């Protein structure tokens, strides 16, 4: 069935020459017939079989052949779903590693401005661990006028198909580091259908607090 990529029917195992090596085992198990249907992957290549053993010696009727074909098709869909899910998991793991290790600040907000994620570099910016950032807003960390500025740029990004880019001075709460950054914000739709902001900061020039003062 796999070699020829088509159903293979042994209506009478005991008199089918292809089953000669297994006749005795099938007789002992009480199998009189076997129907095989190849399973194809999404590209059309065979990778498995739907196998039906029958106690009686009989050939399949059209309804049986339809059932075999349908089960094979459902198996293909299930296998492709598993492969896609596994590939997505690998991709998400890679992205998670990238976000954690990248030297820029990266964070994620929902449309209301509530933090959903923040990488280690961003945690340095607010000077608090991850758990103390998630679920909060900029107003919980900086004066209202600064939070208003952040929110204004958030809204610009959400209302623009190309996002929003602006320059701003940022002072890190963790160590007092201050620098001029180009902030790029882009609205993205997550798999959970929550519209959020993916923001990446790329340093233009980094000036120490002493040099600024």
């Amino acid at each position: 069935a796999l070699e020829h990529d088509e159903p293979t029917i042994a209506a009478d195992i005991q008199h089918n020459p292809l089953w000669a090596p297994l006749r005795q085992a099938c007789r002992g198990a009480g199998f009189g017939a076997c129907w095989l249907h190849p399973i194809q992957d999404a590209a059309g290549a065979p990778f498995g079989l739907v196998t039906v053993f029958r106690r009686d010696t009989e050939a399949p009727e059209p309804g049986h052949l339809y059932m075999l074909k349908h089960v094979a098709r459902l198996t293909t869909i299930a296998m492709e779903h598993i492969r896609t899910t596994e590939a997505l998991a690998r991709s998400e793991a890679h992205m998670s590693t990238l976000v954690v290790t990248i030297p820029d600040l990266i964070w994620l907000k929902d449309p209301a401005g509530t933090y959903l994620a923040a990488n280690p570099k961003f945690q340095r910016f607010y000077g608090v661990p991850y758990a103390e950032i998630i679920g909060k807003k900029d107003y919980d960390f900086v004066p209202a006028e600064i939070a208003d500025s952040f929110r204004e740029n958030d809204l610009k990004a959400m209302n623009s198909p190309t996002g929003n880019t602006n320059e701003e001075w940022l002072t890190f709460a963790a160590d007092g580091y201050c620098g001029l950054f180009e902030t790029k914000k882009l609205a993205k739709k997550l798999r959970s259908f929550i519209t959020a902001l993916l923001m990446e900061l790329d340093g233009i020039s980094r000036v120490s607090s002493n040099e600024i003062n």
Side-chain angles (χ1 to χ4, degrees):
L2 285 176
E3 181 179 354
H4 299 288
D5 192 24
E6 61 184 17
T8 298
I9 306 301
D12 186 348
I13 292 176
Q14 298 303 315
H15 294 88
N16 189 307
L18 296 177
W19 283 81
L22 297 174
R23 284 175 184 169
Q24 185 174 351
C26 288
R27 185 184 301 113
F31 296 144
C34 182
W35 309 336
L36 303 173
H37 194 293
I39 303 171
Q40 298 177 334
D41 61 18
F47 71 90
L49 290 169
V50 176
T51 304
V52 176
F53 282 100
R54 305 282 292 188
R55 294 196 176 277
D56 297 327
T57 56
E58 60 179 325
E61 297 181 358
H64 295 139
L65 292 175
Y66 174 81
M67 177 195 69
L68 290 172
K69 182 178 180 180
H70 188 61
V71 171
R73 177 56 181 161
L74 289 177
T75 303
T76 298
I77 294 173
M79 290 301 299
E80 289 304 312
H81 175 72
I82 292 173
R83 290 176 177 177
T84 300
T85 300
E86 291 176 345
L88 180 59
R90 290 192 296 269
S91 176
E92 290 179 340
H94 175 73
M95 180 60 67
S96 178
T97 300
L98 179 64
V99 168
V100 168
T101 58
I102 196 169
D104 297 322
L105 290 81
I106 299 179
W107 68 94
L108 192 68
K109 292 179 179 177
D110 68 10
T114 302
Y115 282 100
L116 302 176
N119 74 340
K121 188 65 175 292
F122 185 82
Q123 294 167 42
R124 280 187 53 218
F125 172 55
Y126 275 150
V128 295
Y130 183 88
E132 295 183 24
I133 295 176
I134 305 308
K136 295 183 179 179
K137 300 182 178 181
D138 293 309
Y139 295 94
D140 296 307
F141 303 104
V142 296
E145 60 271 19
I146 297 178
D148 286 342
S149 175
F150 290 164
R151 183 58 179 165
E152 179 181 356
N153 289 320
D154 290 352
L155 294 175
K156 288 180 180 179
M158 285 192 288
N159 293 322
S160 171
T162 58
N164 181 67
T165 300
N166 64 280
E167 295 181 7
E168 55 195 347
W169 289 95
L170 299 177
T171 300
F172 284 63
D175 53 17
Y177 167 81
C178 186
L180 178 62
F181 288 81
E182 180 183 66
T183 307
K184 300 176 182 178
K185 302 183 178 182
L186 181 66
K188 302 291 288 184
K189 179 166 287 190
L190 302 179
R191 283 192 302 156
S192 57
F193 304 105
I194 300 175
T195 303
L197 293 176
L198 177 62
M199 307 169 181
E200 178 181 342
L201 278 72
D202 298 315
I204 298 177
S205 62
R206 292 175 177 158
V207 186
S208 68
S209 298
N210 290 335
E211 290 174 328
I212 293 173
N213 294 332

